[in-house]
Amino acid sequence: MKVLIGSTPEDVAALAADSVLEGFERYVDNRPPVIGLATGSSPLGLYGQLAELVKAGKLDFSQATGFALDEYVGLPATHEQSYRQTLIREVCQVLGLPEENLHVPLGAADKLRTLETAAGHYDEAIAAAGGVDVQILGIGSNGHIGFNEPGTSLRSRTHLTRLTARTRNDNARFFGSPDQVPTHSVTQGLGTMLEARRLVLVATGRVKAEAIAAAIEGPLAASCPASVLQLHQDAVLVVDEAAATNLQHREYYDASAQALTF
Ligand code: F6R
């Protein structure tokens, strides 16, 4: 696990974009990349920086495939707060990733069984695309990644899940009130995410400090789903000073971020 600490949210976005680029350079050879996409506020600066790399000719998403982390249950796919529409606005239109190459878990169906079956097929679609090269992640104030709320199995696959009251409160800003936030979602599982070749998690603000400390330095435990990143072979966590507030091993992270010279 690599921990990078930026002074400001802008530094975080730039460091995270470098980590995404490095991931594609490391894992993608003469084929279009496969990117895993988070929604929410955290990755917006990163998507802006990736757009600059596209303009500079360092990245090309024109033939890329994208897999969303999650989708609300019960919102029509055309709803402006559905994660499909959010990713079309914030990623496809910004990075030039074709809408037809964007995969999002099915969140709207008449029958529960249809959602559960589609969730099972989502992992198969990721595998059929060759797996995710770089997965972008945010983290909830309760330590969730995707919508894997505290208590979720560390080996879970894409599944239907209930959102906690805290998450619905946190996301009320997109809907007007917590009551309007859907109660359920379909999310990639923690086991699904662990299969991505590189994970790049972005977190800013004091509100994320407890979750970041638990994810990086706490015990590996379902009570902090993001702690599962401790098991990943190539996870990069990029945080600002405020989100780094509770980290105990700061000296080690700062020293490790320096280039190795002999
Ligand atoms: C979104 C997602 C969530 C968010 C998390 C943080 O697709 O999977 O895990 O990353 O809730 O949200 P923000 O960035 O809005 O604080």
Side-chain angles (χ1 to χ4, degrees):
M1 181 181 270
K2 194 164 159 187
V3 179
L4 302 176
I5 301 167
S7 313
T8 62
E10 292 72 30
D11 290 340
V12 168
L15 286 167
D18 287 347
S19 297
V20 170
L21 179 62
E22 188 184 73
F24 286 134
E25 286 171 351
R26 184 175 297 178
Y27 298 114
V28 181
D29 202 13
N30 286 322
R31 61 172 172 80
V34 180
I35 184 166
L37 299 163
T39 51
S41 309
S42 305
L44 289 177
L46 164 58
Y47 292 141
Q49 287 293 318
L50 293 179
E52 295 302 318
L53 293 174
V54 170
K55 276 188 210 143
K58 293 186 176 172
L59 279 175
D60 178 9
F61 292 100
S62 63
Q63 297 189 68
T65 301
F67 284 93
L69 275 178
D70 37 25
E71 180 58 287
Y72 288 118
V73 167
L75 295 185
T78 51
H79 191 289
E80 65 165 358
Q81 290 306 331
S82 72
Y83 281 173
R84 174 173 292 281
Q85 293 305 321
T86 304
L87 288 171
I88 288 172
R89 277 193 313 272
E90 294 174 355
V91 174
C92 294
Q93 291 170 2
V94 172
L95 299 185
L97 189 145
E99 268 180 52
E100 57 275 21
N101 293 359
L102 173 67
H103 299 252
V104 182
L106 181 68
D110 292 342
K111 291 192 183 130
L112 182 60
R113 187 85 196 99
T114 311
L115 293 182
E116 288 171 343
T117 306
H121 290 156
Y122 200 67
D123 282 11
E124 290 166 19
I126 294 174
V132 170
D133 295 307
V134 178
Q135 173 66 58
I136 293 166
L137 296 170
I139 184 171
S141 60
N142 64 358
H144 75 211
I145 48 175
F147 275 136
N148 294 279
E149 301 284 34
T152 304
S153 157
L154 299 179
R155 296 186 66 171
S156 51
R157 312 301 306 178
T158 299
H159 63 285
L160 181 75
T161 187
R162 177 173 268 284
L163 301 180
T164 60
R166 184 167 176 184
T167 294
R168 293 179 71 220
N169 271 321
D170 284 350
N171 287 6
R173 66 191 192 281
F174 297 113
F175 288 87
S177 77
D179 292 354
Q180 289 170 272
V181 182
T183 54
H184 289 76
S185 75
V186 177
T187 181
Q188 281 191 34
L190 296 169
T192 311
M193 292 176 203
L194 283 182
E195 287 167 7
R197 295 181 181 90
R198 168 168 279 206
L199 304 176
V200 178
L201 183 146
V202 181
T204 55
R206 181 69 185 78
V207 70
K208 301 292 172 70
E210 279 80 28
I212 281 295
I216 298 172
E217 299 174 344
L220 175 66
S223 59
C224 178
S227 66
V228 79
L229 268 56
Q230 295 171 23
L231 290 177
H232 195 273
Q233 71 282 359
D234 188 9
V236 185
L237 288 89
V238 193
V239 303
D240 70 351
E241 290 289 348
T245 307
N246 293 4
L247 292 175
Q248 303 291 311
H249 304 295
R250 178 67 194 263
E251 189 188 335
Y252 172 69
Y253 309 132
D254 288 346
S256 302
Q258 305 301 315
L260 184 61
T261 49
F262 288 96

